[in-house]
Amino acid sequence: MTAPSAGTVEMTIRFPYKRSLGPVIGAFMTGLAGQQILGIRNGSEVMCPPLEWDPKTGKELDHGALVEVGPAGTVVSWTWVPKPSAQHPLDKPFALALIRLDGADTALTHAVDAGSIDAMSTGMRVAPRWKAERQGHITDIEAFVPGEDPQGLDDSRPEEPVTMMPYNAEIPYTLPIAVNTARNAVALKEKRLIGLRCPVCSRTYAGERGFCPIDTTALTAEHEVQLPQTGTLTNYTIITPVQYPGQTETEPFARCMILVDDSDLVIGYQPVIDLPVEQVRVGVRVKLVWGDGDIEGWQPTGEPDVDDPDLVNRIY
Ligand SMILES: [Zn+2]
């Protein structure tokens, strides 16, 4: 079943992290920061980019066998990128190419800024265009350019060996917004709590659900009901935050299930307000507190607790 769409929203999941480089890749990156491209000797071959292991046999290579290669090289193979994405190294059309640098027997993948697809050919000669600001990363070479002469040479050399590399993994995606989700967002902005009552089984669901999971009846605007903004706490979890990088919570906090009055709608993972973690319990009567266009949390009303052993079974 596909819900009718009210447009789309662009989202990006980001996962920034640092990785350690080890003796060979670390030396390769340190070389790049100093405008030097290193390969590693493997028997009669020189591999660039260098590896710690022989890819054919798995035998460990001599980390002292690093040799300078290039800076110019020959395009072995290439593909044209007519519409670069945000993750590509250049923001104009370019070629992604396998480049065998002079003195190397294997090829390095990098961008070639040739200007147009017509300027690209297998066997063409290219040289690196260095960035002025280098950090020990493959993108210290902005791109390769046609010809024999490197561009952007300077006498800046890294003060310290490069041992770590920042890495920013990210996935951009487009999320369709269902009509019910859009209508529910409007209601929340107007500080209204809406539900959708199934005409077949009479169960009430949160306002953004598109269908009844019991009988698959489609739920639309005509099934909308205004819900009271009070309820009872039926279940909870106390979360003790682990202090990983990026964690903003420092103290234990509760996330609660709230059974909304006059309905069988349980809203999950709700924050509670003015209710210390050690006082969170099943049966507390609560009222909704609005934030900016959304539910901020639920606050005790001061009424006596609801004494109903069945409350703990109300998770959904
Ligand atoms: Zn139903």
Side-chain angles (χ1 to χ4, degrees), residues 198 201 212 215:
C198 174
C201 68
C212 173
D215 46 56

Side-chain angles (χ1 to χ4, degrees), residues 7 18 55 128 312:
K18 283 185 178 179
V312 291

Side-chain angles (χ1 to χ4, degrees), residues 106-293:
T106 61
L108 170 85
T109 305
H110 215 296
V112 176
D113 185 8
S116 83
I117 188 171
D118 297 332
M120 286 300 304
S121 62
T122 299
M124 72 187 285
R125 297 284 294 164
V126 291
R129 179 172 71 216
W130 295 97
K131 275 187 187 162
E133 297 282 329
R134 298 183 299 277
Q135 54 170 336
H137 196 278
I138 191 66
T139 54
D140 286 353
I141 300 172
E142 188 174 67
F144 281 77
V145 291
E148 299 288 337
D149 301 322
Q151 297 180 3
L153 289 175
D154 58 38
D155 52 12
S156 164
R157 297 294 172 258
E159 290 171 10
E160 302 280 339
V162 177
T163 58
M164 303 289 285
M165 186 173 79
Y167 194 85
N168 191 23
E170 59 179 44
I171 308 170
Y173 60 100
T174 304
L175 199 63
I177 306 170
V179 169
N180 283 2
T181 304
R183 206 176 58 252
N184 191 53
V186 170
L188 292 172
K189 275 206 169 57
E190 295 171 356
K191 301 191 189 324
R192 292 186 294 120
L193 189 62
I194 62 169
L196 294 164
R197 186 156 291 153
C198 174
V200 175
C201 68
S202 296
R203 288 178 173 85
T204 306
Y205 298 104
E208 61 187 23
R209 192 181 269 273
F211 61 94
C212 173
I214 304 297
D215 46 56
T216 70
T217 303
L219 301 174
T220 63
E222 64 178 305
H223 306 114
E224 183 175 311
V225 290
Q226 304 295 317
L227 295 172
Q229 301 189 5
T230 50
T232 303
L233 198 157
T234 72
N235 273 279
Y236 61 91
T237 303
I238 306 294
I239 296 147
T240 304
V242 174
Q243 296 306 306
Y244 56 79
Q247 170 66 273
T248 55
E249 298 287 348
T250 56
E251 302 302 320
F253 59 95
R255 286 290 177 267
C256 303
M257 309 280 186
I258 308 293
L259 172 61
V260 177
D261 288 347
D262 302 335
S263 79
D264 41 18
L265 171 62
V266 178
I267 309 181
Y269 306 105
Q270 297 294 297
V272 281
I273 295 167
D274 297 337
L275 185 63
V277 161
E278 59 276 9
Q279 291 178 26
V280 174
R281 62 198 182 274
V282 174
V284 178
R285 294 283 300 152
V286 289
K287 63 182 176 189
L288 201 162
V289 176
W290 291 102
D292 184 20

